[in-house]
Amino acid sequence: MSEFTYTVNATEYPPHMKHRVIFETFDKLEPGQAMLLVNDHDPVPLRYQFELERPGIFEWEYVERGPETFRVRIGRVQG
């Protein structure tokens, strides 16, 4: 079984849809589950948005930090 319940490759979506798809995917996670985000740049603004919109219910861990590919494990915790 995969460590990740879902994988979102943000490079496959147009810019106006990326964050919406990521948050919709995160919202499907149960506590203890995690998703993998794949991106072509460091998603720091997305992390700030998570801190504002989903405070205390997510974990953020870099699996790969570029320079060309960024992979982030975003986990859901009890909130």
Side-chain angles (χ1 to χ4, degrees), residues 4 8 10-11 14-16 20 22-23 26 29 32 41-42 47-50 62-63 73-74 77:
F4 305 107
V8 175
T11 65
H16 70 279
R20 185 178 84 201
I22 293 163
F23 279 99
F26 176 81
L29 295 174
H41 63 274
D42 194 347
R47 181 171 185 163
Y48 294 145
Q49 189 175 355
F50 262 93
Y62 285 94
V63 176
R73 178 192 177 277
I74 305 172
V77 299

Side-chain angles (χ1 to χ4, degrees), residues 3-62:
E3 174 187 355
F4 305 107
T5 304
Y6 303 105
T7 297
V8 175
N9 185 341
T11 65
E12 297 175 351
Y13 295 93
H16 70 279
M17 290 185 61
K18 289 181 186 199
H19 285 203
R20 185 178 84 201
V21 169
I22 293 163
F23 279 99
E24 287 175 354
T25 303
F26 176 81
D27 290 341
K28 293 190 276 185
L29 295 174
E30 297 291 329
Q33 293 182 329
M35 62 183 279
L36 178 65
L37 171 64
V38 180
N39 207 359
D40 58 0
H41 63 274
D42 194 347
V44 172
L46 177 68
R47 181 171 185 163
Y48 294 145
Q49 189 175 355
F50 262 93
E51 290 172 358
L52 288 172
E53 297 184 15
R54 306 294 190 281
I57 64 166
F58 77 97
E59 297 173 322
W60 184 279
E61 177 186 352
Y62 285 94

